[in-house]
DNA sequence: CTGTATTTGTTCGTATGTATT
DNA sequence: AAATACATACGAACAAATACA
């Protein structure tokens, strides 16, 4: 399901960051690959774009991904 | 430093409003110019965005600035 | 070269919940 | 109870760069 629980004690943006981090660590999203666009994540998790962006920014801060303006966000580890 | 004293008798949003008004009156922020974004003020003064917004709303009420949705807040006096 | 679509970047508007004083 | 402050979330609009037909 990997759904978001908006009523839980953990903020949705943190839940999403955890889910995405899990997908990277499990290899579902591989190094060098682009992860889904913000719009796609908005649809999949039914969150506002601002919330999705915040979740992605967490991954960026931890170095898990790199974001290229106008291109997308890519899993770190390769070019 | 123009810092905010959160322990003082004057509420932080009023302190910030005073500081920003001073910058306008001194010409640091000129008529027609856009003042720093909410986010920039948040970082500079280490205040919550809601507090910054409240300070800016004071300037707006006194006619010192105009806020254009989705654009920014501008010093009054010109277009 | 031109126009359109895509995607991220930026900024403001608004609302709710919680904590503190 | 009221005021203040912060965290979080959703919405909306526009900009800028890129991709593509």
């Amino acid at each position: 399901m990997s759904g978001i629980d908006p009523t839980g004690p953990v903020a949705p943006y943190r839940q999403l960051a955890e889910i995405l981090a899990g997908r990277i660590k499990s290899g579902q999203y591989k190094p060098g690959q682009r992860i889904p666009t913000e719009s796609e994540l908005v649809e999949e998790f039914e969150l506002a774009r601002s919330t999705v962006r915040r979740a992605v920014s967490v991954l960026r801060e931890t170095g898990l991904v790199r974001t290229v303006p106008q291109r997308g966000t890519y899993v770190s580890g390769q070019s």
Side-chain angles (χ1 to χ4, degrees), chain A residues 10-69:
Chain A
V10 180
Y13 83 90
R14 290 184 213 241
Q15 294 182 49
L16 177 54
E18 271 307 300
I19 291 170
L20 296 179
R23 288 183 177 179
I24 291 171
K25 288 164 187 165
S26 73
Q28 183 173 344
Y29 299 153
K30 297 180 175 56
Q33 277 191 342
R34 209 197 62 180
I35 70 174
T37 66
E38 293 176 354
S39 295
E40 287 169 339
L41 293 174
V42 164
E43 288 192 15
E44 177 176 359
F45 295 96
E46 298 182 286
L47 294 172
R49 187 187 164 202
S50 53
T51 305
V52 167
R53 282 183 60 76
R54 193 165 186 182
V56 172
S57 78
V58 170
L59 302 184
R60 205 157 37 225
E61 285 163 12
T62 60
L64 226 44
V65 300
R66 289 174 304 108
T67 294
V68 183

